[in-house]
Amino acid sequence: MPGTVLLLAASPVGKGCLVDAASVLPVLAAVPPGVLAGTDTANVVELADPLEPQAVLTRLRAAAAAAGPLTVFVTGQLQLDRRQRLPHLALARTTPSTVRYTGFPWHWFREELRLRPAGTTTVLVDLHADAEAWGWLRGHALECGPTVAVYGRVAPPPGRRTVAAPTYMKAVATILRSGGRPAVEQLHQAALGRIAGDGEVGDLVLGAAAPVPPQGAAPRTPDRPERPRPRTPDGLVGDPHAAISDAVRAGNHADADALAARWQEASADAHGPGSQEALHWAEVRADLAMFAGDAERSCRTWMAVAAARLAAGQAVDAPAVEAAVDRAHHQWGRIADTARARELGPALADLRARVPGRRQGALDHVRSQLRQLQLHA
């Protein structure tokens, strides 16, 4: 089966730049697509110094939906937003004061890759952290979800007025250009060996099994719980996420939703309807509705998830709350039946008023669109 490769290199323009991220793209682009993916053939998408986080999200979402193995190469720098203190991949327009709106939130990688079957997704990273992000890494794991293998390194802040080079990713590309395609673990170790004598000391090394903390760092715990594991409903065995993904790719959307619904019911029985486990499966069903082309059902489900999280006391700017409202908003805009969209509009506007999200003007957009729908009633 053909593979998919996403090459993402991003760093701010100007004095805030810590690493010349885009310099690695010509080296990676010289590698045959199949070698990059570890498959006979592959589709490659390249993002060089993107300006908008939504543009990155669109590309990542499309790559995550593709069948077959997915390999994501990420080169750039990590920064924390000042409000939530969460890591972001800095983009071309990112400054310390605008990270929340101009950077790409790292937890979006986890959100978009969570329905991928285990063993099909690899993320290779070469990142440089600013001082605040480096401190955050001493207490948190940088990961993309329990089913995604992450390899690479995060380097500490370079010296003042110094722009670092993405030496790890260039080493990866050089090894791949040699014609061989070692297993990702061997590729990772070989790349680390190549940069060992280049003054790269004190890096945080990321491996699929367990990240190695910086020297003197305290043990880290993930900032979000791993994928919930509810009791297996009677008659169901194996990995439900893999079975659901297979059903979606085969076009059996009703079967996929029925399986997710059984897991949601089992999770609600075992842990409560507002539990993380049950909400996880509600989110899966919202995604499944989107894949099936049912924007109305997807919107309603995401709104219900957001309402449940808020009712449970989660903050209005919590990543999971913002993600639910953003996705409800997105799906609302895709509802073809204007009467249905008009019916859902006021509830979405109320929800948007509570959860404005990261995109400036989101509430105004809902209100404007709702007025247009009401004018044409």
Side-chain angles (χ1 to χ4, degrees):
M1 186 175 292
T4 300
V5 176
L6 177 61
L7 306 178
L8 171 57
S11 56
V13 175
K15 63 180 182 180
C17 181
L18 301 180
V19 58
D20 184 9
S23 67
V24 77
L25 288 178
V27 192
L28 284 170
V31 180
V35 176
L36 286 173
T39 56
D40 291 336
T41 60
N43 299 311
V44 179
V45 178
E46 181 177 307
L47 285 172
D49 285 326
L51 300 177
E52 301 292 341
Q54 290 296 324
V56 179
L57 180 62
T58 298
R59 295 290 191 177
L60 177 63
R61 185 168 291 168
L70 170 63
T71 308
V72 183
F73 296 81
V74 183
T75 308
Q77 68 188 60
L78 285 181
Q79 294 180 216
L80 299 187
D81 73 282
R82 291 178 173 176
R83 183 173 179 180
Q84 291 181 292
R85 313 295 295 173
L86 292 177
H88 291 61
L89 181 69
L91 303 184
R93 293 174 176 170
T94 299
T95 65
S97 62
T98 66
V99 175
R100 177 173 166 80
Y101 299 103
T102 61
F104 186 81
W106 192 263
H107 63 264
W108 284 6
F109 283 107
R110 181 181 181 117
E111 292 291 334
E112 296 305 319
L113 299 176
R114 63 198 169 103
L115 286 183
R116 299 272 312 168
T120 65
T121 311
T122 303
V123 178
L124 286 154
V125 304
D126 188 350
L127 302 169
H128 283 70
D130 68 4
E132 291 184 332
W134 188 249
W136 181 90
L137 287 167
R138 293 182 179 274
H140 302 83
L142 189 73
E143 43 82 41
C144 297
T147 64
V148 178
V150 181
Y151 294 90
R153 64 89 180 253
V154 184
R160 190 176 181 184
R161 298 179 182 175
T162 299
V163 177
T167 54
Y168 170 85
M169 198 65 79
K170 286 185 176 181
V172 167
T174 301
I175 294 167
L176 293 177
R177 286 182 66 184
S178 67
R181 209 322 180 161
V184 66
E185 173 65 31
Q186 285 70 43
L187 175 64
H188 169 64
Q189 294 297 335
L192 291 176
R194 286 192 175 226
I195 67 174
D198 295 338
E200 303 288 345
V201 295
D203 292 356
L204 167 62
V205 177
L206 305 176
V212 178
Q215 186 175 2
R220 295 190 311 279
T221 55
D223 57 323
R224 295 186 63 190
E226 288 196 354
R227 171 181 287 166
R229 293 176 173 85
R231 293 180 306 177
T232 303
D234 293 339
L236 290 180
V237 295
D239 181 359
H241 296 87
I244 288 169
S245 296
D246 290 343
V248 170
R249 292 191 176 98
N252 300 325
H253 298 287
D255 292 344
D257 183 68
L259 180 56
R262 293 186 65 186
W263 280 90
Q264 182 182 5
E265 182 180 0
S267 299
D269 290 343
H271 307 283
S275 64
Q276 290 288 345
E277 292 84 356
L279 288 175
H280 166 77
W281 288 107
E283 291 176 343
V284 169
R285 297 187 69 191
D287 280 336
L288 292 175
M290 176 191 68
F291 293 144
D294 191 341
E296 179 193 353
R297 180 160 58 90
S298 183
C299 176
R300 288 183 185 276
T301 306
W302 280 120
M303 288 173 62
V305 168
R309 291 192 178 279
L310 290 169
Q314 295 187 28
V316 295
D317 60 356
V321 174
E322 287 187 339
V325 179
D326 287 345
R327 292 178 178 186
H329 188 164
H330 178 74
Q331 289 299 298
W332 180 67
R334 292 178 173 269
I335 298 175
D337 188 324
T338 55
R340 296 291 190 183
R342 188 165 53 246
E343 175 191 345
L344 281 176
L348 178 61
D350 290 343
L351 194 57
R352 258 304 180 209
R354 296 181 64 189
V355 186
R358 296 165 180 265
R359 299 191 68 181
Q360 296 182 3
L363 175 58
D364 291 338
H365 176 266
V366 173
R367 289 173 173 169
S368 174
Q369 292 298 108
L370 183 56
R371 284 195 296 269
Q372 291 296 320
L373 290 170
Q374 291 170 339
L375 284 175
H376 293 88

